[in-house]
């Protein structure tokens, strides 16, 4: 039995608060002074997104979405490592 | 005379470190133990990720992970130095060492979260980058030590400097208390290094 | 009951991490807030989820594997970003001591 309204569960309110903190962090992504600040903000938002996907998969009882959360975490890892390497080499060439 | 005894003592310590290094290098695991340890880890990962327990799935996973483990045996277990039989190794890691490490790290993690909350509210920060020395030599041990230092309260590993036989860590400390290298290392590492020295070299 | 306690703790840790990222002065201190609070909050919430859902055992174990991967990957990314930021020329603001600049001029 799947509820349509997710806010009857405390985990639904948790999802709502996590979306609120992600919107707060959008300030750091948009107006961060350097590129590294933007990467930190994006990385944090993606980790919160992984948690949100896991909670929604458990609430809607579609457990295959947890695999999707794992894949999103790994893709985020590769992206952040590539941007870190880019930062390092850009400093060397200047 | 005092200078000569000092020189002799330094020379003796150098020889002792060299001997320890040679013993550690000569104590690698045999090949079949490497393959079996990698196989056990990969097989547990296969069962948890694939998520069904039908018989043909388990047989297929055993064959696939055995082939993968025979190729990738050096990747995970190259730095393990731990005497004893194979079953003793696996059982003591699963029931003695890993719960000890998790028990240490959970309280450190919660303490560091509260400390970050306190720093974010009060802004009483005093940052600096210090350099500490570790007694570990292998790549896997230094990686696990650096990740654990990042999760312990108030510290963040920036870079690793690895010379021949010695390894140094550069640590960003949010509230610098001392500049002495030994005291700083003792305050930052805590008892994690003794735990890691039981398994890695 | 304990799962709602863990959920509240995790959400509070996430909120304080966001406040820390917004208020700290430079990249390295922001990385402190990002790494620790993200890892702690995500592990708390996933543990609460693994306790509370009615599902087969392997699904709960999959949530624990997700928590383990977060704890493994997040410090590694923070180390890579800190090193890249230092090599690209961002100096820490108002440091007491900077031994990394002594050795790498």
């Amino acid at each position: 039995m799947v509820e349509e309204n997710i806010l009857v569960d405390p985990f639904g309110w948790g999802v709502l608060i996590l979306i609120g903190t992600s919107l707060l962090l959008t300030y750091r992504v948009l107006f961060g002074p350097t590129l590294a600040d933007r990467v930190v903000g994006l990385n944090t938002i993606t980790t919160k997104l992984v948690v949100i996907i896991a909670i929604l998969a458990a609430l809607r009882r579609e457990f295959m979405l947890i695999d999707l959360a794992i894949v999103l975490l790994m893709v985020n890892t590769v992206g952040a490592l590539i941007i870190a390497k880019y930062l390092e080499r850009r400093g060397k060439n200047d | 005379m005092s200078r000569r005894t000092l020189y002799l003592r330094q020379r003796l310590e150098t020889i002792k470190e060299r001997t320890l290094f040679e013993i550690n290098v000569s104590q690698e695991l045999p090949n079949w133990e490497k393959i079996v340890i990698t196989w056990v880890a990969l097989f547990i990962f296969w069962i948890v990720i694939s998520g069904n327990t039908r018989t043909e799935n388990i047989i297929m996973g055993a064959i696939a992970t055995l082939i993968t483990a025979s190729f990738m045996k050096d990747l995970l277990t190259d730095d393990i130095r731990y005497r004893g039989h194979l079953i003793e190794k696996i059982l003591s890691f699963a029931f003695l060492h890993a719960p000890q490490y998790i028990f240490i790290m959970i309280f450190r993690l919660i303490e560091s979260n509260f400390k970050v909350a306190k720093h974010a509210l009060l802004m009483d920060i005093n940052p600096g980058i210090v350099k500490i020395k570790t007694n570990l030599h292998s790549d896997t041990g230094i990686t696990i030590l650096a990740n654990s230092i990042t999760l312990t309260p108030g510290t963040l590993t920036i870079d690793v400097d690895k010379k021949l036989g010695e390894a140094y860590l550069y640590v960003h400390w949010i509230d610098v208390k001392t500049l002495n290298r030994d005291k700083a290392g003792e305050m930052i590492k805590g008892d994690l290094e003794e735990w890691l020295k039981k398994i890695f070299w | 009951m304990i799962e709602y306690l863990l959920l509240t703790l995790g959400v509070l840790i996430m909120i304080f991490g966001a406040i820390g990222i917004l208020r700290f002065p430079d990249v390295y201190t922001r990385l402190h807030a990002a790494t620790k609070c993200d890892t702690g909050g995500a592990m708390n919430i996933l543990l609460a989820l693994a306790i509370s859902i009615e599902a087969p055992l392997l699904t709960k174990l999959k949530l624990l594997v997700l928590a383990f991967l977060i704890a493994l990957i997040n410090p590694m990314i923070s180390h890579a970003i800190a090193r890249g930021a230092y090599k690209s020329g961002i100096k820490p603001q108002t440091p007491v001591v900077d031994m990394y600049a002594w050795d790498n001029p």
Side-chain angles (χ1 to χ4, degrees), chain A residues 39-70:
Chain A
V39 183
V40 173
L42 273 181
N43 207 344
T44 315
I45 287 177
T46 314
T47 312
K48 290 186 198 318
L49 198 62
V50 167
V51 178
I52 288 173
I53 289 174
I55 292 176
L56 287 184
L59 284 187
R60 306 305 297 258
R61 305 193 63 78
E62 299 191 8
F63 297 129
M64 66 173 186
L65 290 179
I66 299 174
D67 298 341
L68 194 136
I70 295 176

Side-chain angles (χ1 to χ4, degrees), chain B residues 92-155:
Chain B
S92 69
F93 179 75
F95 292 107
L96 189 66
H97 290 119
Q100 198 177 357
Y101 178 73
I102 290 172
F103 190 76
I104 293 173
M105 283 309 291
I106 280 177
F107 289 103
R108 289 285 186 95
L109 190 55
I110 292 174
E111 182 192 347
S112 76
N113 287 329
F114 285 126
K115 205 168 233 182
V116 165
K118 193 197 83 175
H119 284 309
L121 288 181
L122 298 180
M123 294 296 288
D124 50 349
I125 60 174
N126 194 10
I129 299 175
V130 298
K131 178 183 184 182
I132 62 173
K133 182 179 186 301
T134 75
N135 292 324
L136 294 166
H137 304 287
S138 63
D139 288 341
T140 314
I142 291 175
T143 308
I144 296 176
L145 180 66
N147 282 358
S148 308
I149 282 175
T150 301
L151 289 182
T152 47
T155 47

Side-chain angles (χ1 to χ4, degrees), chain B residues 48-49 51 53 113 116-117 120-121 123 125-129 131 147 150 152 154-159 170 172 179, chain C residues 13 16 20 23-25 28 32-33 36-37 40 58 61-62 65 72 75 78-79 83 86 95-100 103:
Chain B
V48 173
I49 286 297
T53 51
N113 287 329
V116 165
L121 288 181
M123 294 296 288
I125 60 174
N126 194 10
I129 299 175
K131 178 183 184 182
N147 282 358
T150 301
T152 47
T155 47
L156 176 87
T157 312
I158 285 185
D159 204 352
Y170 295 96
H172 184 273
L179 293 184
Chain C
I13 287 171
F16 280 118
R23 283 193 68 189
F24 277 144
Y28 307 102
H32 277 274
K36 285 161 195 158
C37 290
L58 283 174
L61 278 181
K62 204 181 284 186
V65 164
L72 193 70
S78 94
H79 156 70
R83 187 183 141 108
Y86 205 102
V96 177
V97 59
D98 193 351
M99 293 192 190
Y100 194 57
D103 292 344

Side-chain angles (χ1 to χ4, degrees), chain A residues 28 37 43-44 48 61, chain C residues 14 22 30 38 54 77:
Chain A
R28 194 48 76 196
D37 291 313
N43 207 344
T44 315
K48 290 186 198 318
R61 305 193 63 78
Chain C
M14 286 273 194
L22 287 184
R30 274 174 208 146
D38 253 15
E54 304 96 12
I77 291 179

